[in-house]
Amino acid sequence: MLEKRINLTVIILTTLLCAVSVTFAQEYGQIKGRVVDRILKTPIQEAQVYLEGQYLGDVTDYSGAYEIRNVPPGTYTLIVDMMGYE
């Protein structure tokens, strides 16, 4: 009787782990790029780069680079904000 209970517990736990793995196995991507001044071609540091309508974004580094991770599949509008630029 104890052996059947242990086997049943193992099967249930394995099934639950598989269900959780499938849930977390969704594909997420990333958006990488660089923000530069259109005329001078110099990097723009500390610009805010984010996806419109989402809580995903990044701030550019010293070379103007940014990377937004864990982006779900879809179509987005990328917004770049920096004081002094339109």
Side-chain angles (χ1 to χ4, degrees):
M1 182 72 169
L2 182 60
E3 186 176 320
K4 282 185 177 183
R5 185 178 282 170
I6 291 173
N7 286 337
L8 183 58
T9 303
V10 169
I11 291 171
I12 290 172
L13 288 175
T14 303
T15 303
L16 287 174
L17 287 174
C18 288
V20 170
S21 296
V22 169
T23 302
F24 288 112
Q26 295 177 359
E27 295 292 322
Y28 289 92
Q30 61 184 359
I31 300 172
K32 296 164 88 172
R34 196 164 173 244
V35 180
V36 296
D37 185 279
R38 182 175 34 163
I39 296 169
L40 300 175
K41 307 295 186 216
T42 55
I44 299 178
Q45 300 176 23
E46 299 182 7
Q48 297 178 16
V49 182
Y50 59 94
L51 303 178
E52 186 175 52
Q54 301 290 316
Y55 292 104
L56 296 171
D58 195 13
V59 175
T60 58
D61 64 12
Y62 69 94
S63 67
Y66 65 89
E67 181 177 0
I68 304 172
R69 296 179 181 188
N70 298 320
V71 179
T75 302
Y76 301 99
T77 300
L78 187 68
I79 306 291
V80 179
D81 280 336
M82 180 64 181
M83 288 183 61
Y85 286 88
E86 286 186 17

